[in-house]
Each structure stands twice: as structure tokens, then as C-alpha cells.
Amino acid sequence: MGRDRGLREAEGPGKSPQSLGGLLVQVGGWGRFQMVHLAIVTVPFAFVATHSFLQNFTASIPEHHCRSPGERWPVDAQGRRERCLRFRGNATNETETCVEGWLYNLSTVQSTIVTEWDLVCSLKSLHGVAQSVYMAGVFLGAVVFGGLADRLGRRAVFLWCLLQVASLSTGASLAPSFPIYCVCRCLCGSGMSGVVLNEWTPPSRRAAVSAFLSVVLSLGQLNLAFLAFGLRHWRHLQLVAGAPFALCFLCSWWLPESVRWLMVRRHLPGALRALRLVAGINRMPTAGIQLSVEVRKGRGWPLRKAGRTPGSSALDLFRSREMLAGMGTGSFCVNPPPPSSPLSSPRFSASLSLYSLALNLQRFPGENPYLVQIILGVIDIPFRLLVPKLANCLGRKLTLVSCLMLGAGLVLGTTPVPQELGRLRMGLSVLAKGLMSASLSCTVLLASELFPTSIRLTGLGITNMVGHLGGAVAPLVLLAGTANALLPPLLFGIIALAGGFLVVFLPETKGLPLPDTLEQAQKLPALPPGSRELPDGGNGRGTPGNKGETELPSPGCGDAGADC
């Protein structure tokens, strides 16, 4: 396991002082600073999924019927009161629309955006549109803030996005109209994509921290269930969901910039100041840090043969004919394969299926929605924890294919189950959601191992953007279920199967070194399994024999199922 890049990396007395892992060991490795830093970052991470699925409760549709001047109502085929029609009077059977509004059953909620703005009957689709608008914001923020984090630094983007989410969540809770609510939710979602880590975790603890944050993301769905149970008014729930981001913003001003980003950008004085601050907090001597940084400066670490890499941008992913072809086909059939295109299809299909399974709790009639939300959140935890071990044993490709194919089979398996067997349908849906969540975690791991350091967050942003597009489309596809209940699960299952098939064209990255330049990333598929050095003579860190030091990213920010 120690040789598997992306999951664990050797460090210790034999670690080269010229490697980033060596510098982190000099400043204390896993010390007080790393613990405090992780505690601060955990706060917003615990509420990313809360915001993603917030409309399970803030936009729930209670039982309702028309206000009527009389005591008679028309009934539907099941013998229930018609929701959208009423009799004109007690003496006639002529019906009309609900011109005087609706009466809602508020036994489980006090207020939702549906009851406040009457988003029922002819306006019923708008509650799904509101969820799609939020995911559209995440979709746009993924690429915008990913690129800004690569250019401006992780710290500035992290602080700005915390402030943006806190302020726009408050704005949504105070929105006087549905359009303003949608605007605030969209901007809140875009800020969610910039909640990134500062990459201070030492290599030996990176796998454990990544697994911990994955669990924290899943716990966000449990937070939602408990908050919604205690706060039955949608405005109160929306306001409280943004409070942790404000708290984290107030506590994060002192955090230093990512030392990896500073070194890649060759801001060596800033890197030295950051290292000394961390060493001081960890109570470690700082005498050797200056020497290590100067050695790196003299050797031009880590980009000896890529002078323009510090200025790399998302356009570099499209500069070659092979990459353009790969972007057009969405597969890895070209050589060299573009790192983002093959991940787009499985990422999109997994996100589409996951959000379809996690949204609309009311498709399980008669079940307690708070309990259903807890079950959907808990199921992610064991599946997420299994991903690192399976990726080590089976490889990234086989793990991803297995999760997608099995999840798609379970989604399709719900279609023949009759409505009377509601518990069986729910059980299949819960297992399918866990598998889709695991597949998202695996795509994050693959993406982190394919993109070079200089544009890693930009590349992850593009890949995540495609995944968030699936999250934005899912609520709209669910609306088709009102016409044909079989259409959404069939569509979701078939798309997931197609995404799993395209994974076979991905290169296997298990045991390969982490690239720093775009040229190295393009040549990764040509390396033999277990290779420790890149074609340019480096090993991903510019120091031969470094055992492939890794930058394992946080679970997909803004993506409740990822991983970020």
C-alpha cells in the first residue's frame, strides 16, 4: 500500500530533504498546525452536502388541495381530493382552477418555498428548477474557482468562497420572491466549489485525512436531517445552514498559503515564511528550512524543463490535436489521451444517478422523510471508506467500472418493483446511491493522478464541472416522472452503464508517479505499471527516487457525493 500513489507515500528519516514531503517533515509532519487546520476545514465540509440536498426539506411539497367556497371537492382516480381543481359551488359539478389558492397539510413542516410561493399545479416544476439553478451555480463555480485557485492561490479563493456562501445563504433565507431566492442559491452554489484545502497534510497522513473528509461530507446529509427535524421553517433552516461557513471565515484568516502552490509558482520567500510559521506552531526548529528552499531554488524545483508551467492555464488542456479529439469523443481512444475527457462521461453519469437517488424523498410515500435522509447519508460512509482499499487492490479502473456497473444495475432493478413493495424499492435505491457515491470518490482520485500540479485544480474544476452538470440535469429529468414513472430510472441506469463502459479507455494510474507538467501528464499512459520515473527524467517531483510524492485532493467541493 505504501507504493500506491494517491493513497499513501513513504516518509521518514530517509525522505529526501529536497522533496515537499521532506520539508513537511522538517516543520513537524503531522503536528498542531495540521490538526487545527483540519479542524477548521472540517466545519464547512460538514455542510457541503447539507446545501446540496437542502431542498429535500425547504422545497418539499406537502399534501394540498384548493381553497373552496363550499364543502365539496372533486376527487382523483385514487379517491383523494383533487389538488388543482375545485367545484365552482355546492350546487354544481363544474370545476375550475384554484383561483383562491391552496390549503396545505403542515403537520410535518411549518413552511417551505412551495407553500410560501404556491409552487404547485401549473408551477410545480419550479421547485425542481430551483434545485437545478443551485447545481448550475456549482457547475460554473467548479471551473471558475478551480482556475482562480491555481492562479491566485488556495488561501484567497478559500476565504472568498467561505464569505460568499455565508452571505448568499443568508440572502436566500431573506429572499422576498422566488426569482431572488434562485439567484442567491445559484451564487451560493458557485461559492461552494471554491472550498479547497491548502495541501498542508504530510504524505503519510494524506490517505487518512482524505477518508476522514469523505466521511465528513457524508455526515453533511445527517446534519440536514437533524437540522430539518428541529427547524421546520425553510427560512430558519436556510439561514442556519450558512452559519458554519461564516464561522470558518472568521477563524481562517491566519492560515498560510499552500506551500506546494508557492513552490510551483516559485514564490520562494512566501514559501519560506509559511514553512517557518508552521514550524513555529509545531514547535520545530527552523534552521534547516532556509537551506532546503535554497537547494530547491538552485535546482529550479520542480519544473526544470517547463519554464512556462507557472503560467499554465485551462487552455493548455486543449492545445494539442489529440486533446481536442479526445474532448470531442469523450473517450481515451486517442494517444496521448487527454486527462479530462475520459473522466467526463463517468463523472457525469455517476453525478446524474446519485442526485436522482438522493433528491425527492417523497417518492417513498408513507416513509418518514427525516429517517430516509439519515439512511441515504449513512450508506455513503462504508462505500467511501472502501474506495481507497479497493483502488489499491484492484486498481482505479476496475474499482470505478465495478461501482458504476453495479449501481446502474440496481437503478434499473427498481423499475419492475411494484409500488406496493416500497421498502424493497427504497433498499435498492439506497444501495445504488452508495455505489454511485463510491464511483465519484474514485473519479476524484483518478483526476488528481492525471492532471499536472500547475493546473491540477483547473483540471479538477473542469472535470467536476461536467459532473455538476449531471447534478443540474437530474432534477429536470425527475420531473418527467410525473408523465411516466419508469422513464427517469431507465434513463439514469442506461447512462450509468454507458459511463462504466467508457472507463475501460482510461489509463491505469495505480503506482505511477504524479506529473508536474502537462508534457509529463500526456506521457503517463505510456509508462509501464509501477514505473517510478517520468519520461522527462523526473518522478513528478523533480527528484529521482522520491517514490511518487502525491497530492491527494480533498473530496469534491460542492459535490456532495464526491468527493471532492
Side-chain angles (χ1 to χ4, degrees):
M1 183 170 174
R3 293 186 178 181
D4 286 331
R5 185 178 59 81
L7 299 175
R8 185 173 180 179
E9 175 186 343
E11 81 177 346
K15 189 77 174 178
S16 171
Q18 282 76 40
S19 70
L20 179 59
L23 281 180
L24 292 178
V25 170
Q26 288 186 46
V27 298
W30 182 256
R32 295 184 179 181
F33 170 82
Q34 282 76 13
M35 294 179 186
V36 173
H37 176 259
L38 179 62
I40 292 175
V41 172
T42 297
V43 175
F45 262 64
F47 288 86
V48 169
T50 302
H51 279 266
S52 295
F53 304 118
L54 194 64
Q55 288 195 186
N56 277 345
F57 298 98
T58 61
S60 63
I61 306 176
E63 284 294 326
H64 56 278
H65 59 271
C66 294
R67 295 181 184 273
S68 176
E71 297 181 357
R72 297 173 58 241
W73 287 270
V75 295
D76 58 17
Q78 285 76 37
R80 298 173 301 185
R81 291 177 180 177
E82 276 283 357
R83 293 183 172 185
C84 303
L85 296 174
R86 69 173 192 174
F87 290 124
R88 288 186 180 274
N90 287 331
T92 178
N93 288 332
E94 185 180 354
T95 60
E96 64 180 357
T97 57
C98 303
V99 294
E100 296 181 7
W102 290 262
L103 293 174
Y104 297 94
N105 180 0
L106 301 180
S107 59
T108 58
V109 294
Q110 292 181 7
S111 175
T112 70
I113 64 172
V114 173
T115 64
E116 181 154 339
W117 293 310
D118 288 331
L119 305 181
V120 293
C121 295
S122 61
L123 301 179
K124 183 178 180 179
S125 62
L126 291 184
H127 82 281
V129 171
Q131 177 67 27
S132 291
V133 165
Y134 172 81
M135 292 306 302
V138 180
F139 170 85
L140 296 175
V143 68
V144 171
F145 288 113
L148 288 177
D150 280 332
R151 289 189 170 273
L152 304 180
R154 279 48 163 164
R155 179 180 179 274
V157 171
F158 179 68
L159 290 174
W160 170 259
C161 288
L162 289 174
L163 179 62
Q164 180 173 326
V165 172
S167 58
L168 270 301
S169 183
T170 302
S173 70
L174 302 175
S177 65
F178 180 70
I180 294 178
Y181 168 80
C182 288
V183 170
C184 291
R185 284 283 288 166
C186 180
L187 295 176
C188 179
S190 66
M192 204 70 67
S193 297
V195 182
V196 296
L197 290 181
N198 282 359
E199 303 158 344
W200 279 101
T201 305
S204 63
R205 299 296 183 105
R206 200 164 285 143
V209 170
S210 179
F212 170 74
L213 290 176
S214 293
V215 173
V216 169
L217 277 175
S218 298
L219 292 178
Q221 299 177 63
L222 304 184
N223 293 337
L224 174 59
F226 294 128
L227 288 176
F229 183 81
L231 302 170
R232 303 298 179 95
H233 197 293
W234 76 269
R235 292 186 183 273
H236 301 160
L237 180 58
Q238 180 72 56
L239 179 64
V240 171
F245 294 85
L247 175 64
C248 186
F249 174 78
L250 296 175
C251 297
S252 300
W253 279 97
W254 63 276
L255 291 177
E257 181 56 85
S258 164
V259 68
R260 182 183 294 278
W261 182 85
L262 290 169
M263 299 295 279
V264 169
R265 290 283 171 167
R266 299 183 182 176
H267 298 318
L268 299 182
L272 182 58
R273 287 194 299 270
L275 289 168
R276 285 177 169 170
L277 172 64
V278 174
I281 295 174
N282 289 339
R283 298 183 178 180
M284 296 292 292
T286 61
I289 297 176
Q290 177 70 45
L291 176 60
S292 295
V293 173
E294 289 300 323
V295 170
R296 286 174 178 265
K297 184 175 181 180
R299 297 182 55 165
W301 184 94
L303 304 169
R304 292 174 294 172
K305 298 188 179 182
R308 64 180 179 88
T309 300
S312 297
S313 68
L315 294 178
D316 290 333
L317 296 173
F318 302 87
R319 293 189 187 279
S320 70
R321 179 171 55 188
E322 294 82 4
M323 287 199 170
L324 287 174
M327 286 291 182
T329 60
S331 69
F332 252 87
C333 297
V334 293
N335 187 28
S340 55
S341 59
L343 290 168
S344 300
S345 296
R347 179 79 176 182
F348 174 86
S349 59
S351 294
L352 181 71
S353 298
L354 184 140
Y355 278 92
S356 72
L357 295 165
L359 294 172
N360 189 21
L361 303 183
Q362 292 172 311
R363 71 182 185 277
F364 305 120
E367 301 295 340
N368 186 320
Y370 305 102
L371 180 59
V372 173
Q373 182 64 61
I374 290 174
I375 294 173
L376 289 173
V378 169
I379 194 63
D380 286 356
I381 297 176
F383 282 94
R384 287 182 182 273
L385 292 177
L386 280 175
V387 167
K389 293 186 178 297
L390 290 177
N392 272 342
C393 298
L394 305 179
R396 280 58 162 158
K397 287 176 57 175
L398 184 55
T399 300
L400 183 54
V401 169
S402 300
C403 291
L404 280 173
M405 293 294 188
L406 289 174
L410 291 174
V411 171
L412 293 173
T414 62
T415 55
V417 179
Q419 291 289 345
E420 293 76 16
L421 300 177
R423 294 288 177 90
L424 177 59
R425 292 171 62 89
M426 188 174 73
L428 293 175
S429 298
V430 168
L431 291 176
K433 179 180 179 290
L435 287 166
M436 292 303 172
S437 179
S439 66
L440 284 175
S441 296
C442 200
T443 59
V444 172
L445 175 60
L446 270 170
S448 70
E449 296 176 341
L450 288 170
F451 289 112
T453 298
S454 57
I455 52 173
R456 181 159 294 124
L457 286 187
T458 301
L460 285 170
I462 294 174
T463 303
N464 290 340
M465 183 181 67
V466 177
H468 297 320
L469 178 61
V473 172
L476 302 180
V477 177
L478 286 173
L479 294 176
T482 57
N484 189 336
L486 295 180
L487 183 59
L490 284 174
L491 184 59
F492 296 137
I494 292 172
I495 292 177
L497 285 175
F501 172 75
L502 291 176
V503 173
V504 301
F505 299 109
L506 282 163
E508 178 57 67
T509 59
K510 175 185 173 183
L512 296 181
L514 190 71
D516 277 319
T517 69
L518 191 62
E519 292 76 13
Q520 291 174 342
Q522 288 176 292
K523 296 175 181 178
L524 274 178
L527 295 181
S531 175
R532 310 311 301 172
E533 295 199 8
L534 290 169
D536 286 339
N539 63 352
R541 294 281 73 87
T543 304
N546 241 6
K547 294 190 178 181
E549 184 177 324
T550 298
E551 178 182 349
L552 186 64
S554 65
C557 304
D559 191 342
D563 347 82
C564 23

